[in-house]
Amino acid sequence: MKLSILGCYSATPRTLNNTTSQVLEINNHMFLIDCGEGTQVQLRKHKIKFNRIKHIFISHLHGDHFFGLVGLISTFRLLTRETDLHIYGPKGIKEIVVLQMKLADSWTNYNLYFHELTSKESELIYEDDKVEVHTIPLNHRIYTNGYLFKEKEGLRKLQMHAVEDANINVAYYRKLTQGFDVENEDGVLIKNESVTKSGVKPKSYAFCSDTMYKEDIVPIIKNADVLYHESTFLEEHAHLAVRTKHSTAKEAASIAKQANIETLILGHYSTRYGGIEAFKNEAEEVFEKVELAEDGKTFDFN
């Protein structure tokens, strides 16, 4: 599991700071999460292959989280993309994108699918044989979702000495790796756990975009390996967090602690601050393992 931060600041892009966008690579998938202005420039800068992006997840319709989307869709067209592209986001995102394409007479030469979200409860929105994606309902000024990306349980590993001692025919080895009990050559049912062990532990990543402190997301993200949680303000400006429905670094750390997260990544900083180290310091008063998102930074969780 690898996370590339393309942008992690709030409100407006600046010379050295980009708005929210990141790429998650998990189990051979490459997911784009949010698409702030300038995302495609950042993709080029960090040598991320455009054609590997097949699914884009937009948290909400504030500009610093999706203003780069139409440009990216247009660039895919100019690059003669043929692969289908799926976009997940709040109801209204299709209307915004289609209107711009219609007025510019710039329809895509690839299939573009919109999956518009309206539910205020967590729901499964994407699933294949390797990964599933659930929404994380958040509390912001407009309808907003975070996203939980979870690997599915992989194949189990054979303990060959135990398999051979149990006199199991090689024809059943695959079923064993899939978790099934099987009969041995003598017709005796062999329990799977007696001859196999768990494979690589599945990883999970929770992305919590703009939101005020919201404890009821804790059960949804419980025990996730990594949590990215917005931390727009420091404690001295907690009153602004309440007014604008954002979070402080300490509040993000509190969510991470309650959810038993392994690693917390802070981001979505207000540019009112001269630096970001204070965010880490404040969060570490509550939660131990804290990282700071920075434009261009990559986290490898393999």
Side-chain angles (χ1 to χ4, degrees), residues 5-291:
I5 306 296
L6 305 180
C8 58
Y9 283 79
S10 64
T12 60
R14 300 194 175 196
T15 306
L16 299 176
N17 304 133
N18 292 278
T19 52
T20 302
S21 186
Q22 51 187 247
V23 171
L24 177 68
E25 296 177 62
I26 181 171
N27 212 324
N28 295 319
H29 289 281
M30 181 177 279
F31 296 129
L32 180 64
I33 309 170
D34 274 349
C35 191
E37 188 176 346
T39 291
Q40 63 176 307
V41 176
Q42 289 293 89
L43 287 169
R44 290 186 186 278
K45 182 177 179 180
H46 299 292
K47 296 180 172 55
I48 295 171
K49 294 181 179 179
F50 282 34
N51 63 347
R52 286 196 58 202
I53 297 171
K54 299 176 183 177
H55 302 270
I56 301 176
F57 298 86
I58 302 297
S59 61
H60 64 298
L61 297 181
H62 280 160
D64 55 336
H65 295 260
F66 87 101
F67 274 173
L69 183 59
V70 171
L72 183 59
I73 290 171
S74 178
T75 294
F76 283 150
R77 171 179 173 268
L78 294 173
L79 294 174
T80 64
R81 179 190 180 103
E82 296 180 355
T83 307
D84 295 350
L85 181 64
H86 293 261
I87 297 173
Y88 305 78
K91 184 175 176 58
I93 194 166
K94 179 178 179 179
E95 181 182 0
I96 292 170
V97 172
V98 170
L99 177 61
Q100 294 191 62
M101 291 193 301
K102 176 183 176 183
L103 295 178
D105 192 21
S106 297
W107 301 106
T108 62
N109 50 350
Y110 55 90
N111 293 322
L112 183 59
Y113 297 99
F114 292 92
H115 306 265
E116 294 194 309
L117 308 173
T118 58
S119 176
K120 294 184 178 179
E121 303 293 328
S122 180
E123 58 180 341
L124 176 67
I125 59 171
Y126 174 78
E127 182 178 22
D128 63 16
D129 60 341
K130 295 180 179 179
V131 175
E132 58 187 37
V133 183
H134 300 255
T135 58
I136 306 170
L138 300 175
N139 185 358
H140 192 41
R141 300 192 302 279
I142 60 174
Y143 177 76
T144 305
N145 283 300
Y147 297 102
L148 175 64
F149 302 83
K150 298 170 63 176
E151 285 184 319
K152 291 188 174 181
E153 196 79 40
L155 296 177
R156 295 183 65 81
K157 292 185 177 180
L158 300 179
Q159 300 189 78
M160 289 309 302
H161 289 302
V163 171
E164 291 166 358
D165 289 345
N167 196 25
I168 298 172
N169 190 291
V170 67
Y172 292 106
Y173 284 8
R174 180 163 179 77
K175 290 187 74 68
L176 286 173
T177 63
Q178 293 171 337
F180 293 100
D181 299 336
V182 300
E183 286 188 357
N184 69 3
E185 298 278 24
D186 304 312
V188 177
L189 185 67
I190 305 299
K191 290 292 186 182
N192 187 277
E193 59 269 23
S194 69
V195 292
T196 71
K197 60 181 179 180
S198 298
V200 177
K201 178 181 176 292
K203 293 183 173 62
S204 55
Y205 173 66
F207 169 83
C208 288
S209 171
D210 298 18
T211 183
M212 66 185 303
Y213 183 71
K214 191 172 189 285
E215 287 186 353
D216 55 3
I217 70 172
V218 168
I220 302 171
I221 64 174
K222 194 77 173 177
N223 299 321
D225 293 283
V226 184
L227 167 65
Y228 173 95
H229 196 292
E230 77 118 286
S231 55
T232 308
F233 297 105
L234 297 173
E235 281 300 300
E236 63 181 302
H237 294 117
H239 62 289
L240 294 180
V242 173
R243 184 192 307 169
T244 59
K245 290 199 169 183
H246 282 296
S247 298
T248 66
K250 268 192 175 180
E251 288 173 333
S254 177
I255 294 294
K257 184 175 182 179
Q258 293 175 65
N260 193 35
I261 301 298
E262 188 172 317
T263 302
L264 169 65
I265 302 175
L266 300 177
H268 200 265
Y269 319 108
S270 168
T271 52
R272 70 177 58 240
Y273 304 107
I276 61 174
E277 196 61 31
F279 289 89
K280 189 173 192 289
N281 294 338
E282 286 198 355
E284 285 180 336
E285 294 176 14
V286 177
F287 185 77
E288 184 175 345
K289 194 168 182 182
V290 180
E291 300 283 354

